[in-house]
Amino acid sequence: MSLMLQEAQSAPDCLRAQWRANAAILSELGSALRGADLHGALTVARGSSDHAAAYFAYLGMKHLGLPMASVPPSLTTVADTPWRVRGQLAVAISQSGASPDLIATQRALVDGGALSVALVNTPHSPLGETSEHEIALHAGVEKSVAATKSYLATLAACAHLIGAWAEDDTLLAALKALPSALETAAQQEWQPAVDALVDVDRMLVIGRGVGLAVAQEAALKFKETCAIQAEPFSAAEVRHGPMALIGPGYPVLVLAPPGPDQPGLLELAEWLESIGARVLLAADESVGSRQLTLVDAGHDDLQPLSVIQSFYVMAARLAVARGGDPDQPRHLQKVTRTL
């Protein structure tokens, strides 16, 4: 069993540990953020962490009505932008908390007047020390180059932070109960995806709304661990140009968990099949046309965690089926340091 698979399957226990450690801390932070009268947030991240940042921003805009956007680190490290961001929250996300570009950007935003929070898996990291508040992810040491449990832990921490900030008790209760659903999600049989994708070299991954962040993450993992040129798109954007790629048998993974975005995703999947695409539809048991079963996470905002939990297990097995080693992707290292 690969490290990637082992670590992906350990995510539910990581989330339990995270909840126990962070519940009181994030409750206090949520109260402080409400008292700060903020009018927006900026996220600072790279790679999988930036996908988690997109999830954070979507939830934040949905629950708080505040604009939230990702900051390109090059605006600080290359363009030396003079930030004026008083009244904003700067949220930096990183596994290691050691990348110089993230540290420099967070420091510049703090100097520009922003309040700051770092979500990191390595306590007392340089990124955490640059920020006013450091929230530990509690995913434990992650040895696999491909992030799995740390990504799930980051999504959970993002949902926890937004739930605490917005005082959304329903979201928080569902988050506390989520690990049990993820244990079931990790046991789902996605062999049809392994069989369909074992010989492909390119594909699309489609999500929407709160689920777009995990479509982006899934596409990255296809590239990283399986050497498949996978591209992520929103179901609302895919007909604006990417459809020109699709010919007979072209593989498309459609991630359609329960929630308000599901009807549109199902309609798109049906249309894709009608034009000859090889559709792999991931949906819950209420959808008879699915090829891959998703487990209901218990809350619309948490469905992406269930989706990516099942996906990671499949991706680890697909990498092996394609003759690769998901623990040793070509040219990649665990900690990436850019400036």
Side-chain angles (χ1 to χ4, degrees):
M1 183 184 294
S2 66
L3 286 172
M4 179 183 174
L5 181 55
Q6 293 177 48
E7 290 176 349
Q9 292 176 329
S10 74
D13 285 338
C14 296
L15 267 59
R16 288 190 179 96
Q18 182 189 101
W19 178 271
R20 290 192 298 267
N22 288 352
I25 295 169
L26 283 169
S27 178
E28 292 178 7
L29 179 55
S31 178
L33 295 178
R34 289 192 301 276
D37 190 28
L38 298 171
H39 52 261
L42 303 167
T43 62
V44 180
R46 293 283 196 192
S48 292
S49 294
D50 197 41
H51 302 155
Y55 173 77
F56 171 85
Y58 192 96
L59 287 193
M61 290 186 281
K62 174 182 175 180
H63 287 272
L64 298 163
L66 300 176
M68 300 189 177
S70 174
V71 173
S74 63
L75 284 172
T76 293
T77 60
V78 177
D80 197 23
T81 298
W83 294 107
R84 296 182 294 168
V85 289
R86 191 171 303 278
Q88 301 280 337
L89 177 68
V91 180
I93 303 175
S94 173
Q95 292 180 53
S96 67
S99 186
D101 58 347
L102 303 186
I103 297 165
T105 301
Q106 185 77 333
R107 182 178 295 115
L109 293 173
V110 170
D111 291 344
L115 297 180
S116 57
V117 175
L119 304 180
V120 293
N121 197 38
T122 305
H124 312 298
S125 67
L127 186 62
E129 292 172 358
T130 301
S131 308
E132 295 168 74
H133 304 277
E134 182 185 69
I135 305 301
L137 299 179
H138 296 284
V141 176
E142 189 171 56
K143 297 179 181 179
S144 173
V145 172
T148 55
K149 63 177 183 174
S150 64
Y151 179 74
L152 276 157
T154 305
L155 294 185
C158 288
H160 200 160
L161 178 55
I162 293 299
W165 188 354
E167 292 186 289
D168 190 322
D169 291 338
T170 301
L171 174 57
L172 293 174
L175 183 62
K176 183 178 181 180
L178 181 63
S180 294
L182 294 190
E183 286 176 336
T184 304
Q187 297 169 4
Q188 296 309 295
E189 181 52 71
W190 278 30
Q191 187 62 36
V194 175
D195 295 340
L197 301 175
V198 68
D199 293 319
V200 309
D201 57 7
R202 57 185 182 141
M203 63 181 296
L204 298 183
V205 184
I206 297 175
R208 192 175 186 189
V210 71
L212 181 58
V214 295
Q216 294 168 332
E217 171 65 8
L220 176 62
K221 286 299 182 290
F222 275 132
K223 297 183 185 81
E224 186 178 32
T225 65
C226 302
I228 297 173
Q229 182 68 40
E231 301 301 332
F233 288 97
S234 166
E237 297 289 342
V238 73
R239 298 194 196 194
H240 286 254
M243 294 305 304
L245 293 171
I246 295 178
Y250 191 99
V252 183
L253 174 60
V254 179
L255 305 174
D261 297 309
Q262 188 182 66
L265 286 158
L266 297 180
E267 180 183 356
L268 178 62
E270 183 177 358
W271 183 77
L272 287 167
E273 286 188 332
S274 76
I275 64 169
R278 173 65 172 95
V279 175
L280 291 165
L281 175 61
D284 60 287
E285 292 183 346
S286 70
V287 180
S289 59
R290 73 191 185 283
Q291 288 82 36
L292 310 170
T293 299
L294 296 176
V295 173
D296 190 340
H299 192 289
D300 289 349
D301 293 338
L302 302 179
Q303 300 297 356
L305 285 85
S306 178
V307 171
I308 204 66
Q309 176 74 81
S310 295
F311 171 84
Y312 279 150
V313 173
M314 182 278 294
R317 291 174 174 154
L318 176 61
V320 174
R322 289 170 62 88
D325 181 351
D327 297 331
Q328 295 183 332
R330 286 186 297 179
H331 315 308
L332 299 179
Q333 299 178 8
K334 184 60 182 172
V335 178
T336 303
R337 300 177 187 271
T338 54
L339 190 59

